[in-house]
Amino acid sequence: MAPLLNGYTNGASRHLPEDPSVVESRFSDVPSQIDIPVSGLDAEEAVEVNLEELLDDPTELCTLLEQEGVGKHYWMVIALAYAKQAKVDHAIEILSKGMGTLNRGNPKEKLGPLSLTCWLYLWKSREAPRVVPDGQPAGETRLKDFYLQAATGSLNEASRINPAFPPLFLARGVLYLLRASLQPPSKAAAPSAPDLSDRVDTLRQSIKCFEDALRVSSGRNMMAILGRARAYFSLGKYAEALDGYQEVLNKMPHLQDPDPRIGVGCCLWQLGHKDEAREAWERALELNPDSKIANILLGLFYIHNSSHYATTDPAFGPIYKKAMTVYTQKAFKLDKELPLTCATFGSYFMMRKSWATVDNLARKAIELTDVNAVASDGWYLLARKEHYQDRPDLPKASDYYQKADLARGGGDKGYLPARFGLVQIQILQRDFDGAKFRLEKIIQQSRSIEAMMILGALYAEDVFRSQANGVKEDKSADVKKATTLLEAVRLAWKDPQKNLTPDSSVLVYLARLYETEQPDKALQCLHQVEQMSINDMPDKEPPDGIEADEAWMAKLREQLSPQLLNNIGCFQHHAERHEQAREFFQTALSACVKAGEKDEGIDTDALVTTISYNLARTYEAAGLLDEAKQVYEGLLARHDDYTDARTRLAYIELRQNPQEAGPKAMTALYEADSSNLEVRSLFGWFLSKSKRRAANIAEDQEQRHYKHTLQHHDKHDRYSLTGMGNLYLTTAREMRRDTDQDKDKRRKTYEKAVEFYDKALQLDPRNAYAAQGIAIALVEDKKDLTAAVQLFSKVRDTVKDPSVYINLGHVFAELKQYSRSIESYEAALTYNRTSDPQILACLGRVWLLKGKLDKSPAAMKTSLSYSQRALAIAPSQIHFQFNIAFVQIQLAQLLYTLPEAQRTLEDVIKASSGLEEAINSFCEIAQSKNPPYPRHDIEQRANMGRNTMRRQLERAIQSQREYEEKNAAKLQEARELREAEIRRREEEKRRAEEQKEEEKRKIREEREKMAQLSRELAEKRMEEERRREEAEYTTDTDGERVKRSKRKKQAAKRKKRGEENSGSETEVGDGEDGTAAAAAKKSRRKKKARSTEPDSAVDSSDAEGGAPKSKKKRKRLARRGGKEGNFKSEELVVDSDSEGAPRTVTQTNGGGGGPEDDDGDTRMREAEEEDEDMAVSKQHSRKRNARRIEDEADEDKDEEEEEEEEQQEEQESGKKTTAERDAEEDEESGGGIAGGASFADNPHGDPVDESVGAAGDAGGAEDPLLQI
């Protein structure tokens, strides 16, 4: 819209100011006044119209324009002037009248006014409401769609005149954009299915129009690029949109209205680069501080940042304040009608519960926006406003939530908070199934933590409701779902990237779900709630000088919820941690007092009563009966009708005084409240412990009591049903089984017991006592030990009672699994039953059976020990005495049958003594009043021990004594051999260690010697280095130490001397240079392959005559042959003085050449020196570790190269003495003795160039076997 209003159809042709701070506003091209020519007057006369002070009614002005027949330019300028003053309706009216006057002319004259009219309608569309405002008639309000249709009519009329008119492409693209904003987003389809909705199709048409506008403008229409980018953004193609905005920004960096930086920031935000988006918006705000869009977007950025912190976090306040006061408030002041600002401010007033302001701002956001997301925010604000009312209008709130969801596409693409609000409305309407279904859809799409939390709570509430109503339906699947969802929420709290605040309600739900099956996890959840509550305390840190110990933690706990502390104490009590439970109950009582001070509405009396009762039960379980009585009495003083406290007092009295006061207390309790089922249950238990056995079960007092309870009080009383089952089970166990009739009667009695147990289990599937009764009946009646073990194992996991372990011990003993039976009996002893003689007797029996099976005297001794402990606890029980005697008899019999090697004389003697005690015990038991077995049988056992077994043990003692005496010597000998072997091994070990220590000592000494030698060699090398450095330096004329420099070679002089000495010596032609060069290279390679001897002697330097020649010949021989002395002589071909014919000279290792060789040797030495220079330069390039020689600044280039080569050669050939260096210098200056000869390498006998090399060159010093 902006380009055409400013009179431009191509944004790129505008010349924006170079200074970005200078902003060119819209309608800046409209002049302040216009002259309208008047017909009939002079040409220079006209009517001047002030365009800044226009008439409210343009009728008169239009009449003037019609009468004068002015061109379209005047109509359009005046219309723009009205539009500049926001009088768009007058502008449209003026253009309509102007186009009426232009009908008589060229139809193309109407293109400009029609195009401008289209833009004005688009402008009106943006300002018109989206929906009918609340409280206004539908027919009186023109909506956005009305103006879009009017714009479409103007555009179509212009297109009929000239469809290729360039401004129409841009206008049509904007029209499609605005039309797409009114179309709802598409519903969620399959991931791979294309989006074929009307909105997408409209946006694609807008892109085509913008591309046509770019085509006709040769790519210079920046508004078309911006429009295309906006269409891409609406399609969700944020990367393509970003490219468009950046293209405009690159081509027109000073463009601010519209500002492409806003679009760049929005694209970056959607692509996940939020900090870069903030930078783009800050740049836009820097260029235009009054940019309302940049301000509100930056406000949203900081609101988003504040959402990463909890509202209680200190970092939340400054960020949120900056977002609202610095940016959002400024944007609202700049434009109170901006929809995005209204929606943002609406959420702020929502927290302040300013419902009228929220309603006004939300409706503005809905009515004025062109963006579906902003409209969705407006509907969401209205829904929350209705939802938060004290008496919410739930249908209206649900309708608003649905509109908010649909504005963003609905379905899978909808607005998650709105769908979440719908779930809350459904919960309030008690539509739990619908809420679960919607929440499961949300979790499938987004894994929302809040959705998982509420769905888990709904499943948990279903479980708790079923438990409270006593519904028998299996809710294990719901328990699993609730636990899985809530644990997922709990796990998400640990993710630092999500930065979630833990919710204590989740932990409370988990604790209730874990209460029955996993009490340890439930206690862990409650402890986490406790720690969270302590962390939220403002004064959780102790003052200076006070440590954060248990006393300080107890003081902090007093500020927590009493219910939480009471629940933790209950779990501690069930886990038999009575000390911790008592501490929590006592702290909970203190917390009740403080809670009552803070909130008078809390029923502290009920809390104190419940917690005090739990504390007394903890005292009772810990054996502190007096403290428990004191608490119960205190409760009865406050509430004399508290039956539970009275019941526990009677029970404690019974435990403390089981003979007199206890039974009286129980009788008084029963008489006072005989209708209370708890009292009747306790009285039934009392009858079972104190009654006398009746021969007929129908006459049993306990059976009558339970029957009366079931008939007259509660036929579903589980305790009475279980008690009846126990009565029939005990009766069946004691019934006779001599005849088939007795056996059948016994079987029916067991079946009757099982019927009562089964009824109790139907009412309470977790009744472990009933399940245990069925298991006992299976063992005793059906002998189904395997099924009984399974039942007892399940009961053991539920009931923490020693009877379960005792029954398991019985069954395992019957299955001959004696080890597991012993484990079960010992586990029963741990339940404060260490002095229970029955369990000890059972252990003695199982150890006896195990000893007989394994033929183990040790097991039988353990059995005897347990039996003796049982008799010591209950000495009046005659059957315990019988058990001891029986075990003694069995032990004596076992030891008699064992071979001598498996017993000792001491064991046999003790068994004999035990046998005598058993005989005496059997005699006493037989004479007792009520022996456990028939007297005759007991006397027979005593006689067998007295006669047969006594003689057997006497023989066993005699044979064992002879066996041990006989084997004593063998044992002593074996012991001595063993000790000798041990001593021998120790001695060998000692010698081996000494030898190892000696080897270590020698190695240590050798290392010390090597270290000493290394130090000496290092000192020697340092001394030689010092001597060599001294030899390399000399004293100049000024008395200063300088490096010795070598004299320049006098190549020409040497050559002249060589010619004089050689006389008729012939020169080699040019054709022989290649052969000489190859020979020289070969000679140098042989030199390089040698190594030097650093400590070579100088004895040969004192030889006479041909000593130097001999030295050079030895070097040559060593170089060619390898080691010195491997050959005796060598034939050398030298030049003759007479006719040039070669002659052979025999040369030995010890001799040198004669005087006749002087001339040839002189030339050979000159050739040597030249070849030596070339060979050393090659060696210098190949040896990377050679030391660089400092150049002499005052020498010429050739002399520097020669000196470097000579010093390099000295380092490669080892250390040279001063005498050697002097000899070489004399040799170079011509004062040396010539030696050596040329090689006979030419097969035709032609003389060879002297430059090939000589056997005595300096490179020969590299061989370590040569002496210099």
Side-chain angles (χ1 to χ4, degrees), residues 848 852 882-883 885-890 893 915-916 918-923 925-926 932-950:
L848 176 64
K852 291 177 68 175
F882 177 85
N883 291 342
F886 184 78
V887 173
Q888 289 173 335
I889 288 286
Q890 295 295 323
Q893 188 174 359
L915 178 62
E916 296 298 330
I919 293 171
N920 296 331
S921 297
F922 282 142
C923 293
I925 294 170
Y933 294 98
R935 287 188 177 87
H936 178 72
D937 293 346
I938 297 174
E939 290 175 353
Q940 287 294 329
R941 284 186 177 277
N943 291 332
M944 184 184 66
R946 187 181 297 112
N947 298 325
T948 306
M949 295 188 66
R950 182 182 290 172

Side-chain angles (χ1 to χ4, degrees), residues 306-318 320 351 499-503 532-533 535-538 540:
S306 67
S307 65
H308 296 160
Y309 303 94
T311 54
T312 56
D313 195 316
F316 173 80
Y320 188 77
M351 294 188 296
N499 196 19
L500 299 175
T501 303
D503 191 341
M532 288 167 53
S533 302
N535 292 337
D536 293 338
M537 293 181 182
K540 61 183 177 181

Side-chain angles (χ1 to χ4, degrees), residues 416 439-453 455 484-489 491-492 498 500:
L416 181 59
L439 285 170
E440 287 174 351
K441 295 287 289 183
I442 292 173
I443 293 172
Q444 290 176 1
Q445 298 161 11
S446 64
R447 298 295 298 174
S448 169
I449 299 299
E450 292 80 4
M452 289 192 289
M453 189 186 307
L455 184 58
T484 303
L485 290 167
L486 296 177
E487 283 291 356
V489 174
L491 183 63
K498 295 182 179 178
L500 299 175

Side-chain angles (χ1 to χ4, degrees), residues 108 539 916 1044 1139:
K108 292 186 178 181
D539 52 351
E916 296 298 330
R1044 188 187 301 274
E1139 297 176 359

Side-chain angles (χ1 to χ4, degrees), residues 1069-1083:
D1070 295 336
E1072 296 173 351
D1073 290 345
T1075 306
K1081 290 182 181 178
K1082 183 176 180 181
S1083 175

Side-chain angles (χ1 to χ4, degrees), residues 382-523:
L382 290 177
R384 289 178 65 194
K385 179 184 76 73
E386 294 295 336
H387 193 174
Y388 286 0
Q389 301 297 321
D390 295 334
R391 294 182 178 180
D393 188 348
L394 297 181
K396 184 181 288 187
S398 178
D399 181 56
Y400 288 152
Y401 279 132
Q402 289 179 354
K403 288 182 177 180
D405 185 39
L406 292 175
R408 277 185 163 90
D412 296 343
K413 293 183 179 181
Y415 192 32
L416 181 59
R419 294 157 66 190
F420 200 75
L422 277 172
V423 170
Q424 293 175 322
I425 297 297
Q426 288 177 316
I427 293 174
L428 291 176
Q429 294 174 340
R430 307 193 69 79
D431 182 12
F432 299 120
D433 293 336
K436 289 178 187 177
F437 177 77
R438 195 178 294 273
L439 285 170
E440 287 174 351
K441 295 287 289 183
I442 292 173
I443 293 172
Q444 290 176 1
Q445 298 161 11
S446 64
R447 298 295 298 174
S448 169
I449 299 299
E450 292 80 4
M452 289 192 289
M453 189 186 307
I454 291 188
L455 184 58
L458 287 176
Y459 280 120
E461 288 293 342
D462 281 349
V463 174
F464 302 150
R465 196 180 302 110
S466 298
Q467 293 175 353
N469 297 333
V471 179
K472 298 180 181 179
E473 183 182 358
D474 184 16
K475 288 290 184 179
S476 58
D478 290 346
V479 172
K480 184 177 180 180
K481 288 180 181 179
T483 305
T484 303
L485 290 167
L486 296 177
E487 283 291 356
V489 174
R490 188 181 179 189
L491 183 63
W493 296 343
K494 300 178 182 179
D495 189 351
Q497 296 180 351
K498 295 182 179 178
N499 196 19
L500 299 175
T501 303
D503 191 341
S504 59
S505 63
V506 174
L507 298 170
V508 173
Y509 275 119
L510 282 172
R512 293 185 64 184
L513 292 169
Y514 287 137
E515 179 180 0
T516 305
E517 299 291 342
Q518 297 172 304
D520 292 338
K521 286 189 175 182
L523 182 59

Side-chain angles (χ1 to χ4, degrees), residues 787-837:
V789 168
Q790 295 177 358
L791 285 174
F792 282 131
S793 300
K794 292 181 179 180
V795 172
R796 177 190 57 190
D797 298 336
T798 305
V799 178
K800 304 299 182 182
D801 190 82
S803 62
V804 183
Y805 292 95
I806 293 173
N807 291 327
L808 274 173
H810 294 339
V811 178
F812 285 133
E814 292 295 329
L815 290 171
K816 296 185 179 181
Q817 298 180 15
Y818 300 124
S819 298
R820 299 183 68 180
S821 176
I822 291 169
E823 291 176 0
S824 299
Y825 286 135
E826 290 178 346
L829 284 177
T830 59
Y831 285 86
N832 296 325
R833 304 289 292 272
T834 55
S835 60
D836 191 332

